[in-house]
Amino acid sequence: MEQDSAGAPARASLLNDPKARGLFYQVVLVVALVLFGYFIVSNTIHNLEQQNIASGWGFLENTAGFGTNQSLVSYSETSSYGRAIYVGFLNTLLVAGVGIFFATLIGFIIGIARLSNNWVISRLAYCYVELVRNIPLLLQIFFWYFAVLRSIPGKRDKWSLFDTVHLNIGGLRLPKPIWEPGSEFIGIALILGIVASFFVSRWARKRQEATGQQFPVFWTGVGLVLGLPIITYLVTGMPMTLEHPNFVETGPILRQGFELNVGINVIPEFLALTAALSIYTASFIAEIVRAGIQAVSHGQTEAAHALGLRNGPTLRLVVIPQAMRVIIPPLTSQYLNLTKNSSLAVAIAYPDLVSMGGTVLNQTGQAIEIIGIWMAVYLSLSLLTSAFMNWYNQRMALVER
């Protein structure tokens, strides 16, 4: 190596310095990205100006002028575009939440049934998985909406269960609770029941770890969550009544059928979409559950049987808790898929975020803003779901002592 007059090694040229070259290429890349972004933005603004489309978010305050057949909050044709998108967002949350619940329930049942010693049950579960997961989801949505729900009675007729739950082509009709003064104590009792069952569960787990004795946590929780509100309901003089759907059978034919705005009406689009999403996603969850159970060493089952546990408690207390560490990561992906697949609701006109946003887009031409809202909402929902499931996965992970 060359040395200067003081004997110190001579400094290398900047062109031969790896750090300088790396810094130069990073600066070039950042400048190129900034120029590319500037080109995209300026070109978009120029195209919008040529088409006389105003950019910005001011259109959200304009009157929408269209209605919807399902809204979880107050909404009418005179509401704003922003309110319409909010209604679609809530409908997306509803169908995703209900779909995840039923998909998880069906998936666990089918996944356990796949490993049943009963040949008929295991074959039926196998056929379910292979049949459902290999048919496109959009076709299943069409099947439930056009083939199943179109074959039920028309608006002048109905199917009834215990004269309380009714079904016809207009949707599922349920009794609607009417809350009267004093009913707020029922809600408080429900919250107290949930909190009490949580602390009972923690206490029971610590008690089992210390003494080995089990406590009936499930039935205690059911008693607290259901029992406390029922007792409060009776003590406070039953401040809640049910408004049953009113079906008109006589009179002019145009007036026959269910009376509007009486009881709860679950629209057929919601029923078809929820059924398709739940059953389709459950077929994937079933395979995840089966793989998770098979990942647990069979010696664990044999050890539990040696201690005198039957098949049910062995599965619930020994196998499933260990299998959950394998099940949760892929289960998270299925939850994300179900939430994103709910955007197919636009095919049957269910008023979800995409459907309501699409109507707003057609009326205003604000494509960039609407697509930006769609991307931001689905990205936020996916990140929140992933964060929650990662937290739950860490809670279920093995902790070495």
Side-chain angles (χ1 to χ4, degrees):
M1 180 177 296
E2 297 182 357
Q3 297 182 346
D4 56 14
S5 57
R11 297 184 60 181
S13 171
L14 286 176
L15 295 176
N16 296 326
D17 188 347
K19 292 184 178 178
R21 287 204 307 270
L23 181 61
F24 172 76
Y25 290 133
Q26 291 180 46
V27 171
V28 170
L29 178 62
V30 170
V31 171
L33 289 176
V34 170
L35 292 177
F36 180 73
Y38 174 77
F39 168 75
I40 293 294
V41 173
S42 61
N43 187 55
T44 303
I45 294 175
H46 175 70
N47 291 335
L48 291 175
E49 289 177 350
Q50 282 191 335
Q51 298 177 16
N52 296 322
I53 298 177
S55 59
W57 303 96
F59 73 97
L60 293 175
E61 299 178 358
N62 297 336
T63 302
F66 64 90
T68 180
N69 56 356
Q70 176 175 302
S71 175
L72 300 180
V73 295
S74 60
Y75 176 80
S76 65
E77 287 81 357
T78 59
S79 300
S80 63
Y81 284 127
R83 189 74 172 179
I85 294 175
Y86 180 59
V87 169
F89 168 68
L90 293 180
N91 289 339
T92 294
L93 283 184
L94 177 65
V95 75
V98 176
I100 286 174
F101 173 78
F102 284 109
T104 306
L105 183 64
I106 299 172
F108 268 78
I109 293 175
I110 298 297
I112 295 173
R114 287 273 281 123
L115 301 173
S116 173
N117 294 325
N118 188 306
W119 186 86
V120 175
I121 293 177
S122 64
R123 288 294 95 184
L124 286 176
Y126 170 78
C127 293
Y128 168 86
V129 171
E130 295 301 326
L131 176 67
V132 173
R133 74 174 178 178
N134 290 305
I135 297 177
L137 176 59
L138 185 59
L139 292 183
Q140 295 191 36
I141 293 175
F142 286 156
F143 169 78
W144 284 102
Y145 187 65
F146 293 110
V148 176
L149 293 179
R150 293 291 177 181
S151 61
I152 59 179
K155 290 188 177 181
R156 315 291 179 235
D157 200 357
K158 60 184 173 65
W159 288 343
S160 298
L161 180 64
F162 304 118
D163 201 26
T164 303
V165 180
H166 313 279
L167 179 67
N168 67 8
I169 201 169
L172 184 67
R173 301 277 179 167
L174 303 169
K176 178 181 179 181
I178 304 297
W179 306 101
E180 300 173 357
S183 58
E184 63 271 14
F185 294 106
I186 301 176
I188 295 174
L190 177 62
I191 295 174
L192 291 177
I194 295 174
V195 173
S197 62
F198 171 74
F199 283 105
V200 168
S201 175
R202 292 188 59 181
W203 169 79
R205 186 173 63 253
K206 291 181 180 179
R207 177 174 178 264
Q208 184 175 355
E209 291 175 354
T211 64
Q213 297 179 354
Q214 295 182 12
F215 188 80
V217 177
F218 176 77
W219 292 113
T220 304
V222 171
L224 289 172
V225 174
L226 297 180
L228 281 179
I230 293 176
I231 293 173
T232 306
Y233 170 73
L234 297 175
V235 170
T236 54
M238 296 184 289
M240 190 221 27
T241 57
L242 292 177
E243 181 185 72
H244 292 269
N246 184 27
F247 187 77
V248 180
E249 300 184 28
T250 58
I253 189 169
L254 293 178
R255 293 185 179 180
Q256 293 181 10
F258 284 104
E259 189 176 347
L260 295 177
N261 301 323
V262 178
I264 297 176
N265 181 26
V266 184
I267 60 176
E269 290 81 6
F270 177 82
L271 296 175
L273 184 63
T274 303
L277 287 174
S278 303
I279 293 174
Y280 178 75
T281 309
S283 63
F284 294 92
I285 294 178
E287 287 298 273
I288 293 172
V289 172
R290 181 180 67 85
I293 292 176
Q294 288 183 326
V296 179
S297 171
H298 188 64
Q300 297 287 323
T301 303
E302 293 178 339
H305 287 165
L307 293 174
L309 290 178
R310 294 171 296 174
N311 289 331
T314 298
L315 182 66
R316 189 176 68 256
L317 301 175
V318 177
V319 177
I320 292 295
Q322 298 184 70
M324 287 301 291
R325 301 181 181 99
V326 180
I327 292 173
I328 291 174
L331 189 64
T332 304
S333 299
Q334 294 306 318
Y335 288 170
L336 300 182
N337 287 337
L338 188 147
T339 303
K340 290 180 288 188
N341 287 336
S342 66
S343 60
L344 293 173
V346 71
I348 56 173
Y350 174 72
D352 74 325
L353 178 68
V354 176
S355 179
M356 299 291 282
T359 305
V360 175
L361 191 155
N362 290 330
Q363 292 189 2
T364 62
Q366 304 281 353
I368 295 178
E369 290 80 0
I370 296 298
I371 293 175
I373 292 173
W374 288 342
M375 295 174 65
V377 168
Y378 283 107
L379 179 62
S380 301
L381 291 179
S382 297
L383 292 178
L384 288 175
T385 305
S386 179
F388 174 77
M389 294 300 291
N390 287 336
W391 169 80
Y392 183 60
N393 190 34
Q394 291 178 353
R395 294 269 302 175
M396 296 297 294
L398 286 173
V399 179
E400 297 183 358
R401 300 179 181 176

